[in-house]
């Protein structure tokens, strides 16, 4: 067969490539039916996958045999040859461009970027070792044992093509049995490195760079580096473009999918057109996109499309190459072919084993989980796939000598691919089960058992609830309970009797390590949820997730806020840079005009020096000197214009001298207080020295030392441009200031999101571990990390109050609009609003969310009296605010000042305006003598940080009892102080509502702090509790009794004091939730406060709710008709949305 005209990338000669296999068309080529063959292949592949589930190797084998059968028909019959002829004439690069981009992108998209980032050098080294060993060992075996005389270049190219590990099939079998994602990502990352190297080296061979006539080592190395770096840069910017488009609120899902796939192909083609590696570029694109780069649920849809396309492409590739093999002559398929295939199979696995042995020391050092068992499983992960097949035709095209049987290149690789896909996948799965790598550890088994138990309890409670419904009374509940019972067998290791006792009771260290991993997973989930809800920015969420995954694999390491705060270093250099720029900033030292009396000359110079025109003239002089300086530095121009440059130098020195002289006349000694003036004076001195040097050179042209000194002084003229920096420095200060504000905003978001993740984790501590000692240790670790984070939050707020206010305002707007979107969705789903009106209103709200991207970075600080609006129990009422504004006082405390001490009587309440204070106390008593409390022996000290908006001293002022904590300033503190006398004057003036509202606010705070997990479904907002009486406070003094109506009262929470069950005489101490069995309680302390959360009103108004006991408030009627009020609220909301839509429509018209 003649030498092919087609290269791997382009066709150099002719317009059409030669056939790889089979005969040329010795007939008139007419209209074929190749598309029928394509669709038949897809239908057959789909049917086989439907009937042979989880048997991908059998499907691909049948498709390969089907293709071989079609190829044999084409070899013997002209009609079938006419059908497959378009495939045989297709360049190999076309097939590569059609199929490989989406498969590469899908493989890279499934890799966790943070895991690969943490183990980049290990993965890169594994890929390099794998490529080198494959290149050497397989190349040697092919050269030594192959019957057909392949040249050296063919053997090397064949070894590179066969050495590619498929990034999809190599980990599919491990993903289905629950293997850690870290190891699958390492294998997949290594395969992408090998694939990238192979594509680059095939390009080098195609360009003929390695021919001995023009071989240059430096040229090859530099070209390789530029190819890799250029491909990575193109992939990174493509990922940024995709992320920008896909995160747009108004983008359509179908449009996003089309755009993403189009960008993948366009990036691949552009990078290849520029002579770089499209494989490396698309791997970079996939790695830089994560779940936060898409709108919620978009990544799942795109991934499904990618899986569908990749599966389709794989079916077509195996079928097409089966056709190509079948179109060749069968006489070359001999017994030696089978023997050589088995030799290649053994060699491929041996090379993989050698690679694992060489890489294992590095992996053992970098990961404490890696061991010899993982090494054995990984040694069988060298599965070959579509990438090896796509490179196979080019082995023949780039060979130095053409062979008679080019189809054997494809045959060997395709058969090895099917063998590794079947045998290696089975061995990996079997070894993973045998070596107990798929078995859950004892702590994970305990966590799984707790989860199953929790789900079963939920199912049982749901069944119990359904039994009470009248329509379901004739249901066979025994059968329901039998069918809904969860029977899940947790994989357990097969341990010997000696190790059974040791594994049955794991140590606390083992349990805490497993709990640490669960905490990391919960935190990552919390970060993603906050980002999807709009609470956390994408950059902050990505930073937190990256930090969590980075520390997740550090044994015994619980991530703290200081581990996340890598911004501290960046913030410090930004602040230092800004301070340096501020120091260099030019400030005019303006002297009072009255000092010059009636001296007209000095007054005239004064007006000149301090005019804007004079300052602009300084800058113009510097700009004008640019051209003469260029000529001075250019030797040719300097020789032609020596005299002209000398006179120009005299002129500019005279201008600088005149400028300095005028300033010295006015400023006198103050002239040298400004460093810019000192610089200008130095320019004048150097210029005068330069003039004298030139003059002396003319007198003594033979003095070499003088000439050299004059040349050096001439180069010092460059400092005449330094005063131009006075224009740039203010711009740089503004730029740095914006960056500092962005960094502060990002830091605040990161810290806030971290605190929220800790709060979410604390709810699930009992599900993480069933051992109390572990629960307590976890709680202490999370509390410590939370205190550190709150402290960091306070310091950030103290440093950039205007930035924090802007960020809080932006988040508040975002939350309100998100609430409106949920209400709109509810009204639309109920049919209250038409679909068109709903879509239009949704666009309006989304536009408001999008406009928050242009929200200012900083908002001016409010005046101190505005902070009174933040006191929740004042309810933003003008009467109350004006009353306390007249009596409130501003107070300032320095760092380290003590605001109040434990054991002192309260002087009043402190509303923090700015700064941060630390609150230290013993365990709170809640109005109970410590000797009576169950935890009376506890000596733990509690620490809490108070920042802007917090109130200190409310409870002590209400009770007129000693303060139970000490408050110390951590920063300079500004507070709004309301004295105890003024507070009680307000109680008398607004009795009894004001005192009751403070108690309600404190009760809600205690309930939220201690029982948030139980009250997660309750809407306990202060305004709602006041207006709708959803929750209220009952007061009990000693020996007073209170009846509990469990029908109308959903929760009764003891928030202060102690009570006793009158029926069972069981005592209860605050804070606690009274059980449902408790029907009547009696106060046992001087003062007891109970928060009553009312149950939802029934459909019919059966009667009035319980009337409040001894508070005597009379503010809200207990016989409120809930159903009627809900209807009024819904009607009002509907009217509001209808009017808004109408106004919006009129504005559009």
């Amino acid at each position: 067969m003649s030498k092919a005209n087609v290269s791997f990338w382009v066709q150099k000669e002719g317009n059409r490539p030669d056939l790889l296999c089979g005969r040329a068309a010795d007939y008139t080529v007419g209209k074929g039916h190749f598309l029928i063959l394509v669709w038949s292949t897809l239908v057959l592949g789909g049917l086989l996958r439907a009937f042979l589930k989880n048997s991908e190797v059998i499907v691909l084998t049948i498709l390969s045999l089907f293709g071989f059968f079609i190829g044999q028909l084409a070899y013997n019959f002209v009609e079938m040859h006419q059908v497959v002829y378009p495939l045989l004439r297709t360049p190999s690069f076309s097939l590569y461009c059609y199929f490989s981009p989406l498969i590469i992108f899908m493989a890279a998209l499934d890799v966790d970027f943070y895991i690969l980032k943490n183990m980049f050098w290990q993965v890169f080294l594994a890929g390099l070792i794998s490529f080198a060993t494959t290149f050497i060992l397989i190349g040697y075996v092919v050269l030594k044992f192959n019957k057909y005389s392949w040249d050296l270049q063919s053997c090397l190219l064949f070894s590179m093509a066969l050495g590619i590990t498929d990034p999809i099939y190599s980990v599919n079998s491990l993903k289905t049995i629950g293997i850690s994602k870290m190891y699958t990502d390492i294998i997949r990352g290594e395969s992408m490195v090998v694939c990238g190297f192979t594509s680059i080296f095939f390009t080098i061979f195609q360009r003929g760079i390695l021919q001995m006539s023009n071989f240059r080592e430096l040229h090859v190395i530099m070209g390789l580096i530029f190819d890799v770096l250029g491909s990575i840069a193109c992939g990174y910017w493509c990922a940024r473009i995709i992320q920008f488009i896909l995160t747009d609120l108004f983008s359509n899902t179908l449009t996003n999918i089309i755009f993403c796939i189009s960008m993948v192909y366009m990036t691949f083609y552009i990078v290849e057109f520029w002579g770089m590696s499209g494989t490396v570029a698309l791997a970079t694109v996939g790695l830089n996109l994560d779940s936060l780069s898409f709108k919620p649920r978009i990544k799942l849809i795109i991934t499904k499309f990618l899986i569908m396309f990749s599966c389709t492409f794989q079916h077509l590739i195996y079928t097409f190459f089966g056709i190509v093999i079948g179109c060749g002559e069968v006489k070359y398929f001999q017994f030696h072919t089978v023997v050589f295939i088995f030799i290649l199979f053994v060699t491929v696995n041996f090379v993989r084993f050698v690679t694992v042995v060489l890489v294992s020391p590095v992996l053992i050092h970098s990961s404490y989980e890696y061991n010899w068992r993982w090494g054995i499983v990984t040694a069988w992960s060298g599965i070959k796939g579509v990438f090896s097949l796509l490179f196979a035709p080019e082995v023949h095209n780039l060979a130095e000598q053409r062979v008679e049987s080019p189809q054997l290149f494809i045959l060997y690789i395709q058969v090895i691919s099917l063998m590794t896909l079947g045998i290696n996948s089975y061995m990996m799965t079997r070894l993973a089960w045998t070596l107990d790598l798929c078995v859950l550890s004892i702590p994970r088994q305990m966590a799984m058992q707790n989860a199953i138990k929790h789900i079963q309890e939920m199912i049982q409670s749901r069944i119990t609830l359904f039994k009470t419904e009248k329509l379901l009374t004739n249901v066979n509940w025994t059968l329901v309970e039998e069918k809904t019972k969860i029977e899940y067998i947790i994989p357990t290791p097969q341990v010997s009797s000696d190790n059974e006792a040791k594994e049955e009771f794991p140590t606390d260290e083992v349990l805490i390590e497993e709990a640490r991993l669960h905490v990391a997973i919960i935190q990552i989930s919390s970060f993603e949820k906050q980002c999807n809800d709009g609470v956390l920015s994408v950059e902050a969420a990505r930073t937190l997730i990256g930090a969590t995954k980075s520390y997740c694999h550090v044994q015994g390491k619980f991530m703290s806020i200081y581990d996340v705060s890598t911004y501290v270093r960046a913030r410090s250099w930004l602040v230092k840079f800004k301070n340096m720029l501020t120091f260099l900033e030019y400030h005019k030292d303006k002297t009072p005009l009255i000092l010059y009396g009636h001296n007209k000359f000095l007054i005239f110079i004064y007006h000149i020096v301090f005019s804007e025109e004079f300052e602009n003239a300084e800058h113009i002089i510097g700009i004008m000197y640019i051209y003469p300086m260029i000529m001075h530095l250019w030797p040719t121009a300097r020789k032609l214009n020596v005299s002209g440059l000398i006179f120009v130098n005299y002129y500019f020195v005279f201008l600088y001298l005149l400028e300095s002289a005028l300033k010295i006349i006015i400023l006198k000694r103050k002239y040298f207080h400004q460093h810019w003036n000192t610089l200008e004076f130095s320019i004048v001195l150097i210029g005068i020295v330069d003039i004298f040097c030139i003059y002396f050179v003319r007198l003594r042209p033979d003095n070499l030392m003088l000439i050299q000194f004059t040349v050096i002084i001439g180069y010092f003229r460059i400092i005449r441009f330094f005063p131009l920096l006075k224009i740039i420095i203010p711009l740089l200060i503004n730029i740095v200031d914006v960056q500092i504000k962005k960094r502060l905003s990002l830091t605040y978001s990161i810290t806030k999101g971290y605190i929220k993740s800790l709060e979410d984790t604390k709810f699930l501590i009992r599900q993480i571990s069933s051992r109390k000692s572990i629960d307590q240790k976890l709680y202490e670790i999370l509390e410590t990390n939370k205190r550190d984070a709150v402290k960091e939050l306070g310091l950030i707020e103290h440093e950039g109050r205007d930035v924090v206010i802007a960020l809080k305002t932006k988040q508040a707007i975002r939350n309100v609009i998100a609430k409106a979107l949920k209400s709109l969705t509810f009204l639309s789903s109920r049919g209250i609003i038409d679909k068109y009106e709903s879509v239009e209103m949704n666009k309006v709200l989304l536009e408001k969310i999008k406009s928050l991207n242009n929200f200012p970075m900083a908002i001016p600080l409010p005046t101190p009296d505005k902070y009174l609006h933040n006191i929740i129990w004042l309810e933003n009422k003008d009467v109350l605010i004006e009353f306390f504004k007249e009596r409130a006082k501003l107070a300032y405390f320095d760092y380290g000042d003590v605001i109040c001490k434990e054991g002192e009587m309260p002087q009043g309440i402190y509303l923090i305006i700015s700064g941060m204070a630390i609150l230290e106390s013993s365990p709170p008593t809640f109005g109970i003598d410590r000797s009576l409390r169950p935890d009376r022996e506890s000596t733990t000290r509690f620490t809490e940080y108070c920042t802007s908006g917090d109130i200190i001293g409310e409870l002590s002022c209400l009770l007129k009892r000693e303060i139970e904590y000490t408050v110390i300033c951590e920063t300079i503190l500004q507070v709004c102080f309301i004295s105890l006398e003024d507070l009680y004057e307000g109680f008398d003036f607004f009795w009894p509502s004001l005192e009751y509202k403070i108690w309600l606010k404190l009760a809600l705070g205690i309930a939220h702090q201690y029982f948030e997990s139980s009250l997660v479904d309750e809407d306990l907002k202060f305004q709602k509790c006041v207006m709708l009486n959803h929750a209220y406070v009952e007061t009990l003094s000693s020996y007073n009794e209170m009846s509990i109506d469990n029908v109308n009262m959903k929760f009764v929470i003891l928030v202060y004091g102690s009570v006793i069950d009158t029926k069972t005489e069981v005592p209860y101490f605050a804070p606690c939730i009274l059980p449902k069995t408790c029907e009547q309680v009696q106060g046992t302390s001087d003062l007891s406060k109970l928060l009553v959360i009312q149950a939802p009103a029934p459909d019919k108004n059966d009667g009035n709710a319980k009337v409040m006991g001894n508070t005597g408030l009379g503010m809200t009627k207990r016989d409120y008709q809930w159903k009627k009020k809900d209807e009024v609220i819904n009607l009002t909301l509907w009217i509001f949305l209808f009017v808004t839509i109408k106004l919006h429509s009129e504005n559009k018209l």
Side-chain angles (χ1 to χ4, degrees), residues 94-111:
S94 298
L95 293 177
Y96 183 81
C97 291
Y98 296 156
F99 298 129
S100 64
L102 280 184
I103 300 177
I104 297 169
F105 176 69
M106 187 188 75
L109 189 63
D110 194 42
V111 175

Side-chain angles (χ1 to χ4, degrees), residues 24 453 556 868 971 1055 1110:
K453 181 180 178 182
L868 291 175
T971 63
V1055 295
N1110 298 329

Side-chain angles (χ1 to χ4, degrees), residues 343-360:
I343 293 174
L344 286 178
F345 176 75
V346 174
T347 305
V348 164
N349 288 290
F350 176 74
V351 168
R352 187 65 182 169
F353 176 77
V354 172
T355 302
V356 171
V357 170
L358 294 176
V359 176
S360 290

Side-chain angles (χ1 to χ4, degrees), residues 106-304:
M106 187 188 75
L109 189 63
D110 194 42
V111 175
D112 194 316
F113 172 74
Y114 303 104
I115 293 177
L116 202 63
K117 178 182 176 182
N118 296 331
M119 303 191 67
F120 172 76
W121 292 112
Q122 292 88 333
V123 172
F124 181 79
L125 182 62
L128 188 62
I129 293 175
S130 177
F131 179 80
T133 53
T134 302
F135 184 79
I136 296 171
L137 296 179
I138 296 181
Y140 174 78
V141 170
V142 172
L143 193 64
K144 188 75 174 176
F145 296 98
N146 186 27
K147 176 182 177 182
Y148 305 99
S149 300
W150 293 354
D151 57 81
L152 178 61
Q153 186 164 312
S154 299
C155 295
L156 295 179
L157 290 172
F158 180 80
S159 65
M160 283 191 288
L162 188 59
I164 301 175
T165 302
D166 191 273
I168 297 177
Y169 286 130
S170 59
V171 297
N172 274 356
S173 57
L174 295 179
K175 289 170 64 177
T176 57
I177 57 178
I179 297 297
S180 173
K181 195 175 188 314
M182 182 180 70
Y183 297 106
T184 60
D185 285 348
I186 291 175
I187 296 172
R188 184 169 284 174
E190 175 208 344
S191 65
M192 286 191 293
V193 170
V194 174
C195 189
F197 273 123
T198 304
S199 65
I200 292 173
F201 273 90
F202 264 83
T203 305
I204 294 174
F205 275 100
Q206 178 271 329
R207 293 173 183 171
I209 297 176
L210 297 181
Q211 299 297 328
M212 294 303 296
S213 59
N214 59 355
F215 178 73
R216 297 291 184 273
E217 295 87 345
L218 182 62
H219 180 69
V220 173
I221 294 173
M222 293 303 296
L224 183 64
I225 293 174
F226 282 123
D227 283 352
V228 173
L229 296 181
S231 303
I232 292 174
C234 292
Y236 174 81
W237 286 109
C238 175
R240 297 282 75 79
I241 295 173
I242 293 176
Q243 181 178 342
F244 176 78
I245 299 297
L246 297 189
T247 53
D248 184 35
L249 294 173
F250 295 95
S251 58
N252 181 268
T253 302
L254 182 60
T255 306
N256 287 340
I257 295 172
I258 296 173
F259 173 79
C260 182
I261 295 176
S262 302
M263 280 295 296
V264 167
Y265 275 100
M266 188 180 75
T267 302
F268 181 85
Y269 293 147
I270 290 176
V271 172
E272 291 290 346
F273 178 77
W274 286 344
M276 296 179 288
S277 173
T279 302
V280 176
L282 291 185
T284 306
V285 174
L287 289 174
N288 280 277
L289 296 176
D290 52 19
S291 59
L292 302 179
S293 302
F294 306 89
K295 290 195 301 183
R297 296 181 297 276
I298 290 294
K299 184 181 179 181
L300 178 62
I301 299 174
I302 292 178
T303 304
K304 288 184 177 180

Side-chain angles (χ1 to χ4, degrees), residues 801-920:
R801 291 178 58 200
D802 54 345
V803 177
V804 172
I805 290 173
L807 184 61
K808 286 182 177 180
T809 307
K810 181 179 177 180
Q811 290 178 348
I813 296 172
R814 180 70 172 79
N815 293 337
V816 170
I817 298 176
K819 200 76 173 178
L821 282 171
K822 289 183 179 180
S823 301
L824 180 64
T825 304
F826 173 79
L827 294 174
S828 177
S829 63
R830 296 298 186 271
I832 299 176
I833 299 178
D834 292 339
K835 184 177 181 180
Y836 173 76
E837 295 172 338
S838 175
V839 171
E840 290 298 315
M841 194 62 194
N842 190 69
K843 289 181 180 179
V844 174
L845 295 175
L846 290 179
E847 189 66 40
K848 290 185 176 295
I849 294 178
K850 192 173 182 180
S851 65
L852 293 177
N853 295 331
N854 301 321
F855 200 79
M857 292 293 301
I859 293 179
L861 303 178
T863 56
D865 59 289
K866 295 293 183 182
Y867 278 89
L868 291 175
H869 295 268
N870 297 335
I871 301 180
I872 193 170
W873 38 266
L874 294 182
E875 297 183 278
N876 208 18
K877 292 182 178 179
D878 294 337
V879 178
L880 290 168
I881 291 173
E882 289 297 328
F883 177 84
F884 285 105
K885 185 190 295 185
E886 297 173 356
R887 293 160 175 78
K889 300 176 183 178
L890 286 178
Y892 297 89
F893 297 91
D894 203 351
Y895 170 77
D897 289 350
V898 177
I899 300 177
C900 54
K901 287 185 178 181
E902 186 174 358
E904 291 182 349
M905 292 300 295
Q907 302 298 320
I909 62 174
Y910 301 87
L911 170 63
I912 299 179
I913 297 175
S914 65
M916 183 178 67
I918 182 172
L919 188 149
E920 297 178 347

Side-chain angles (χ1 to χ4, degrees), residues 746-780:
L746 175 64
T747 301
Y748 189 86
S749 297
I750 288 173
T751 311
K752 196 86 172 181
Y754 177 77
I755 293 173
K756 182 66 171 64
S757 71
L758 293 178
E759 294 174 351
D760 295 341
T761 306
K762 285 167 65 177
F763 296 151
L764 303 173
I765 286 180
R766 293 183 179 177
Q767 275 70 37
I768 294 175
S769 176
S770 58
R771 188 175 293 184
K772 289 186 178 180
S773 60
I774 302 301
D775 292 349
Q776 183 63 28
K777 191 170 183 179
L778 276 179
Y779 184 82
E780 292 175 357

Side-chain angles (χ1 to χ4, degrees), residues 606-638:
Y606 177 88
H607 287 296
I608 291 176
V609 170
F610 292 104
S611 64
E612 292 185 4
E613 291 80 3
F614 185 81
E615 185 175 353
N616 294 333
E618 296 178 17
H619 305 323
I620 293 172
I621 291 172
I623 295 172
M624 287 172 58
Y625 192 69
I626 293 176
Y627 182 68
M629 190 65 193
I630 293 174
M631 295 184 67
H632 175 75
L633 296 175
W634 192 0
T636 306
R638 185 171 63 244

